[in-house]
Amino acid sequence: MSETNNWCSKVLVAYDGSAPSARALELARKIGAQNEQVEFVFVHVVRLYGTGTGTETVIFDEAVKVLDELSALADEVPNTACARLLRGTSPADLIVKCARDEDCDLIVMGSRGQGGVKGFLGSVSYAVVQSSPIAVLIAKDAPRTA
């Protein structure tokens, strides 16, 4: 394998079910297809609010469904891959910490999450770009055709 193919060895891919995060998964798969030695850590973040109203259970149940989807993807790709559920109050901090703990050298994520305003970098992706010590690849929505 040539050195030019080793620009990254382990990639964290953040996924929340939004169209931009689905695009991030597509980009990650393309990176993996170029080099089966690249490892993946697929993550989904559950933001904990602590409302005490029982909504935590609903949010967690939805997160487990996303984790199951990511686990299936981890099993499907030819690369070594795992899926993780991250829980906490700051999604950006959780993503950057996981990338550091997993010794990743690239983070791939969508330009905005499910609540983001179309056309703008979301608050989580912006915070990750600002605080990450490693490269961050931002996947945008597919361009509209006229």
Side-chain angles (χ1 to χ4, degrees):
M1 187 176 312
S2 73
E3 287 297 314
T4 58
N5 289 337
N6 293 331
W7 64 276
C8 70
S9 60
K10 194 166 188 182
V11 180
L12 182 142
V13 184
Y15 179 76
D16 69 359
S18 66
S21 71
R23 180 76 178 114
L25 287 177
E26 289 175 33
L27 287 173
R29 290 178 79 145
K30 288 179 182 179
I31 292 168
Q34 292 175 5
N35 183 351
E36 288 187 10
Q37 299 302 310
V38 172
E39 296 179 36
F40 290 109
V41 179
F42 298 113
V43 301
H44 177 63
V45 176
V46 178
R47 183 180 287 184
L48 302 178
Y49 294 101
T51 62
T53 61
T55 56
E56 296 90 353
T57 303
V58 174
I59 291 169
F60 189 73
D61 288 347
E62 288 300 314
V64 169
K65 290 178 188 174
V66 174
L67 181 61
D68 289 344
E69 183 181 339
L70 290 177
S71 294
L73 178 62
D75 291 341
E76 174 187 314
V77 296
N79 309 72
T80 300
C82 64
R84 304 254 187 277
L85 189 61
L86 308 178
R87 293 173 279 219
T89 56
S90 174
D93 289 344
L94 292 167
I95 291 167
V96 171
K97 181 181 182 322
C98 183
R100 187 179 305 117
D101 291 349
E102 291 283 345
D103 200 27
C104 295
D105 47 18
L106 177 66
I107 297 171
V108 180
M109 62 188 305
S111 57
R112 58 183 171 78
Q114 291 190 6
V117 177
K118 192 166 187 89
F120 293 94
L121 194 61
S123 59
V124 174
S125 49
Y126 180 79
V128 169
V129 167
Q130 293 301 309
S131 64
S132 176
I134 62 172
V136 180
L137 176 60
I138 301 293
K140 296 183 56 117
D141 282 331
R144 292 185 183 172
T145 54

